[in-house]
Amino acid sequence: MVDLTDEERAAIAATMKRVALLMDEIGWATPLGGLTEAQVRALIEESVEGFREAMSDIAKANAPEVPF
């Protein structure tokens, strides 16, 4: 098990919201084995992009302001 930072946990929570929106389109009752290759790819891409964006936003929010 990986020890996640608070920032990573927050990024995962933000990513879950994005993935949930995609799952709304796919259908929550669809079993994993019933997903098409395109749907699996879309879920992975949404997960990776969502996590990346959330971590970037968190880093920007935590960066010290440049005084000049």
Side-chain angles (χ1 to χ4, degrees):
M1 187 81 172
V2 177
D3 290 329
L4 300 174
T5 65
D6 290 340
E7 290 84 4
E8 290 168 331
R9 289 182 199 285
I12 289 171
T15 301
M16 287 171 50
K17 293 174 186 174
R18 291 177 61 150
V19 170
L21 291 173
L22 183 55
M23 281 304 302
D24 283 341
E25 293 177 24
I26 293 171
W28 285 95
T30 306
L32 287 176
L35 296 174
T36 66
E37 181 180 339
Q39 290 170 324
V40 172
R41 187 180 303 113
L43 285 168
I44 293 169
E45 289 172 359
E46 193 66 25
S47 298
V48 171
E49 182 62 16
F51 186 81
R52 188 199 65 75
E53 281 185 18
M55 288 298 290
S56 176
D57 292 345
I58 290 167
K60 288 176 188 172
N62 292 334
E65 187 174 323
V66 178
F68 51 89

